[in-house]
Amino acid sequence: MAINLQKGQKISLSKESGGALSKVVMGLGWDAKKVSVSKLKGLFGGGSSDSIDLDASCVLFDDQNKVVDTIYFGQLKSRDGSIVHTGDNRSGAGDGDDEQIKVDLDKVPANVKSLVFTVNSFSGQTFDEVENAYCRIVDSSNNAEVARYTLSSQGSHTAQIMAKVYRHGGEWKMHAIGENGVGRTIDALLPQIIIHL
């Protein structure tokens, strides 16, 4: 059974999954917050706000906290091939994960100490306009959800540093960071990530 992570919580992925994990998926899901009909004030378009273009990214860091590689909508595959982004969802429409980043943990280069997963509002809308947002780790071998972190923090921020998957004591662990940030792209968020490594 998947664990629901709280902000700041750390877990061992192998212990939570019941064995060594080799391939995982970081899934990101969200919906545009519904706008009440009274707030629409005669505007056309039904009872929901415009779509929101959130972007999942993964930044690889070495043990000196230097960037090794970045996977995002503009580079869907890591240079070493161990991490693949499945593509950009520009609306959040539909059920389930809206964006996924697949990670082959066994193929992540030995010099990579941590993988930091983030989300940015490329459209510039704040998280006040987002609901039902989450990130989750899934075991690719059986599609079982290992851990889920609900991005419940609404506010005027346009980004969030969601979680870090990192090597510790010969195994992979996960840290639910959950820190709000500002920036429409991963490049704008990078200086804010370094603080939490």
Side-chain angles (χ1 to χ4, degrees):
M1 182 166 198
I3 185 168
N4 284 315
L5 295 172
Q6 303 299 314
K7 180 177 177 176
Q9 188 174 355
K10 296 177 182 179
I11 61 165
S12 163
L13 291 179
S14 60
K15 286 179 185 170
E16 295 303 329
S17 67
L21 285 176
S22 60
K23 294 181 181 178
V24 297
V25 175
M26 173 65 83
L28 170 68
W30 74 92
D31 294 312
K33 187 180 274 188
K34 304 290 186 254
V35 177
S36 70
V37 175
S38 63
K39 287 186 178 180
L40 291 175
K41 297 183 180 176
L43 295 175
F44 298 102
S48 66
S49 64
D50 292 334
S51 60
I52 295 180
D53 182 6
L54 296 185
D55 292 320
S57 301
C58 177
V59 185
L60 286 67
F61 291 93
D62 66 14
D63 59 2
Q64 303 297 313
N65 293 334
K66 302 280 189 235
V67 175
V68 175
D69 205 351
T70 305
I71 297 83
Y72 68 110
F73 66 86
Q75 180 185 316
L76 296 176
K77 189 174 185 180
S78 61
R79 289 188 287 273
D80 59 67
S82 66
I83 302 174
V84 177
H85 193 304
T86 59
D88 191 13
N89 179 320
R90 297 181 180 170
S91 68
D95 295 329
D97 298 341
D98 294 307
E99 292 192 9
Q100 291 185 332
I101 298 175
K102 298 179 178 184
V103 182
D104 188 335
L105 294 170
D106 292 343
K107 292 184 179 175
V108 172
N111 68 316
V112 174
K113 177 185 165 188
S114 60
L115 317 171
V116 178
F117 295 89
T118 65
V119 57
N120 295 76
S121 174
F122 187 75
S123 48
Q125 291 148 301
T126 68
F127 274 66
D128 280 331
E129 300 176 60
V130 177
E131 63 184 5
N132 305 322
Y134 66 85
C135 70
R136 67 187 188 129
I137 288 276
V138 175
D139 181 346
S140 293
S141 69
N142 58 11
N143 289 324
E145 185 173 294
V146 177
R148 176 180 288 252
Y149 178 62
T150 301
L151 309 179
S152 57
S153 177
Q154 293 185 327
S156 59
H157 56 285
T158 56
Q160 188 167 97
I161 303 160
M162 297 186 296
K164 174 173 72 170
V165 173
Y166 62 101
R167 297 181 206 259
H168 181 75
E171 65 176 321
W172 288 99
K173 297 190 176 240
M174 181 176 177
H175 175 200
I177 298 174
E179 289 292 335
N180 298 336
V182 177
R184 293 177 56 236
T185 65
I186 187 61
D187 288 339
L189 193 59
L190 270 177
Q192 299 160 71
I193 295 172
I194 301 294
I195 299 166
H196 301 287
L197 292 179

